[in-house]
Amino acid sequence: MKYYSTNNHKHQVGLSEAVIKGLAPDNGLYMPERIPVLPNDLIEKMSEMSFREIGYAVIGALFSEDLTEKQIHELVDHTLSFDAPIVEVEEDVYSLELFHGPTLAFKDVGARFCSKLMSMLVEDKSKTLRVLVATSGDTGSAVANGFLGVEGVEVIILFPKGKVSKLQEKQFTTLGQNITALEVEGVFDDCQTLVKQAFLDRELNEKLMLTSANSINIARWIPQSLYYFYAFSQLPKTSKKVAFAVPSGNFGNIGAGILAQQMGLPIEQFVAATNVNKVVPEYLNGFPFKAKPSIPTVSNSMDVGNPSNFPRLLALYEGDEKRFRENVKGYFYTDEQTVEAIQAIQPKGYTLDPHGAVGYLGLKDFMAENPGYVGVFLETAHPGKFRDVVEEALGEKLILPERLAAFLEGEKKVIPMGKSFDEFKGFLKGLV
Ligand SMILES: *Cc1c(COP(=O)(O)O)cnc(C)c1O
């Protein structure tokens, strides 16, 4: 399979280059040149298949030209090491729980797939691939845990000192093994600048094999389509149309859902739900796309003013904006509405996290305007990950799942780092 750049359809590369480079040289996002369509009878049979079996079929359709069957199985087994159940919250309204992975958020799926695939694609096994990640929280924990113990790959995480929540920090500073955390005397932008400078530094790139595991990487983006197939297969057989509502920030997750739909999964409608960072809902409601500075909210993993996957969404519709706006409906919600949703659903025996709450609200509004649907909203994180917001909303303490509590007991190990590039470069050169 070739992958083209969303900035230039003629710029095409193979899987290895698309994954290791991450971003095209013209700053475009890579896209598969062809979207394979799965046979209907296979999709129908998925209700009797396990998550992994579904994974082999879907990943096989996309990657079988580039990977052996054995590699595809290894990749899927490593990625889908946890379940993604659907839970009925109200009649015809299901929560797709994507928080059963190691860091309790859906980014675990993409990060696990990406790590294993990178390790497979490094041809020279005597070399170590070094993944540089700047993080303000979530990405660091998903990438660190996804890459933990993966052979031939070392992860270096840069995070701003004192600017990351305690729990998030614990999730990437206590792991050890092939994960190193650098605590940078600065803000998130300083971390990002250091990483960018390293990629541009000729001397470093001659000595070291450097890459990023950015969220726009196809190796993080594509595997997210797996849980749409799996969720659909778990729905009770019905003649009703199916809608998926996705709480969105950079719009990678919903894009993977649209990919699943184009591969033949009969999802009728998507709902893009955001917080007040609402540039995409505005676009979907007929306005031109206009990036804006981000606004802080209680669903902070979606505080994105310039969604990086937007060009990918346009590419999925081949630039046909009318079709895009028909297939995806946009809604946005304030913090107040988000907190009210958490409070309103609790008595039904379900605890939402702030991101899932936004998805739930979008789904409900869509279903009120369009009767006759069965709806699934994506619960993208465990409520315990955002316990401050959820505990305040509910006026009660949450019981943290064991996996999350276990992180809090780990010992933090970091290397202190200034924000000068020379210091960072010296550290990297010291690795060889
Ligand atoms: C990253 C994230 C999102 C947003 O996903 P996108 O793919 O960027 O749209 C939503 N919820 C949670 C909990 C996240 O961590």
Side-chain angles (χ1 to χ4, degrees):
M1 178 84 85
K2 292 276 186 227
Y3 295 86
Y4 69 87
S5 162
T6 51
N7 281 343
N8 175 7
H9 215 293
K10 291 205 191 82
H11 172 82
Q12 299 199 349
V13 299
L15 176 66
S16 213
E17 188 170 343
V19 171
I20 307 280
K21 292 256 163 69
L23 195 66
D26 59 12
N27 281 328
L29 312 188
Y30 284 118
M31 283 294 284
E33 52 153 4
R34 189 169 52 72
I35 295 176
V37 178
L38 302 178
N40 272 336
D41 58 338
L42 172 62
I43 291 177
E44 271 166 31
K45 253 197 348 230
M46 285 183 179
S47 57
E48 286 142 40
M49 289 160 70
S50 68
F51 198 2
R52 286 183 182 187
E53 284 166 339
I54 292 172
Y56 306 147
V58 175
I59 295 303
L62 285 153
F63 293 92
S64 61
E65 289 165 26
D66 298 290
L67 302 171
T68 64
E69 198 181 327
K70 181 162 171 276
Q71 285 178 312
I72 288 168
H73 280 229
E74 252 182 70
L75 198 50
V76 169
D77 291 347
H78 177 79
T79 306
L80 304 183
S81 58
F82 46 89
D83 198 17
I86 58 168
V87 174
E88 190 171 23
V89 176
E90 294 166 12
E91 194 185 348
D92 286 340
V93 173
Y94 292 83
S95 168
L96 167 54
E97 295 187 343
L98 299 174
F99 55 72
H100 296 279
T103 73
L104 298 99
F106 81 95
K107 288 187 180 70
D108 283 329
V109 172
R112 295 182 73 74
F113 189 89
C114 182
S115 65
K116 195 73 182 173
L117 184 55
M118 279 186 173
S119 134
M120 285 175 179
L121 294 175
V122 177
E123 274 159 27
D124 183 352
K125 298 286 177 207
S126 66
K127 279 199 176 159
T128 303
L129 184 65
R130 292 197 166 81
V131 181
L132 305 183
V133 197
T135 186
S136 53
D138 254 4
T139 303
S141 51
V143 171
N145 285 274
F147 280 74
L148 183 65
V150 171
E151 238 170 87
V153 190
E154 268 181 38
V155 179
I156 295 150
I157 296 189
L158 293 85
F159 71 100
K161 183 174 178 179
K163 305 271 189 315
V164 173
S165 87
K166 187 139 223 94
L167 183 61
Q168 283 178 328
E169 191 175 291
K170 287 275 190 182
Q171 289 183 315
F172 55 79
T173 59
T174 58
L175 297 166
Q177 296 186 54
N178 58 333
I179 314 296
T180 306
L182 306 184
E183 187 172 48
V184 176
E185 205 64 61
V187 294
F188 171 67
D189 288 336
D190 297 312
C191 301
Q192 201 154 33
T193 305
L194 288 176
V195 168
K196 281 189 183 153
Q197 281 175 303
F199 287 130
L200 294 173
D201 189 277
R202 171 149 335 145
E203 190 193 354
L204 279 179
N205 285 278
E206 275 165 10
K207 287 204 162 78
L208 298 164
M209 211 177 3
L210 297 178
T211 188
S212 76
N214 203 298
S215 66
I216 48 89
N217 196 308
I218 49 161
R220 284 189 54 190
W221 179 63
I222 289 177
Q224 300 176 146
S225 59
L226 297 180
Y227 43 71
Y228 290 88
F229 283 96
Y230 183 51
F232 193 97
S233 78
Q234 296 173 70
L235 286 173
K237 294 259 175 288
T238 164
S239 55
K240 290 181 180 168
K241 292 182 282 192
V242 176
F244 272 71
V246 188
S248 295
N250 273 314
F251 284 76
N253 199 2
I254 196 170
I258 297 165
L259 175 68
Q261 183 193 42
Q262 295 189 358
M263 289 181 79
L265 189 65
I267 296 174
E268 181 75 17
Q269 188 71 47
F270 284 94
V271 176
T274 70
N275 56 35
V276 292
N277 294 282
K278 56 183 195 297
V279 301
V280 176
E282 278 180 346
Y283 166 84
L284 293 169
N285 288 319
F287 297 95
F289 179 82
K290 194 165 179 299
K292 296 196 178 130
S294 67
I295 303 163
T297 74
V298 293
S299 48
N300 61 31
S301 299
M302 309 198 295
D303 295 348
V304 181
N306 188 11
S308 54
N309 279 288
F310 190 73
R312 191 164 256 156
L313 299 185
L314 278 178
L316 282 164
Y317 295 101
E318 293 165 324
D320 184 343
E321 301 190 70
K322 186 167 169 283
R323 193 153 65 92
F324 183 4
R325 287 177 168 132
E326 277 166 8
N327 191 215
V328 186
K329 295 290 169 217
Y331 298 87
F332 68 91
Y333 300 95
T334 62
D335 281 357
E336 208 177 9
Q337 291 171 305
T338 307
V339 167
E340 279 168 14
I342 296 172
Q343 291 165 337
I345 299 316
Q346 175 79 355
K348 299 183 180 171
Y350 201 79
T351 307
L352 292 168
D353 103 293
H355 305 78
V358 168
Y360 168 83
L361 286 168
L363 183 63
K364 290 290 283 187
D365 280 342
F366 172 79
M367 287 171 74
E369 288 163 21
N370 302 273
Y373 273 86
V374 169
V376 180
F377 67 93
L378 276 59
E379 179 43 293
T380 48
H382 190 282
K385 265 199 113 155
F386 299 91
R387 66 191 288 192
D388 295 353
V389 177
V390 178
E391 287 180 350
E392 196 186 313
L394 298 177
E396 61 184 66
K397 290 266 172 237
L398 290 180
I399 299 161
L400 291 189
E402 238 167 73
R403 299 195 298 306
L404 206 51
F407 278 116
L408 285 170
E409 279 157 28
E411 192 198 339
K412 171 176 165 182
K413 283 199 206 88
V414 296
I415 298 175
M417 185 67 47
K419 54 184 176 187
S420 90
F421 181 60
D422 281 346
E423 187 180 346
F424 181 47
K425 184 171 172 176
F427 165 80
L428 289 176
K429 278 164 75 177
L431 297 175
V432 269

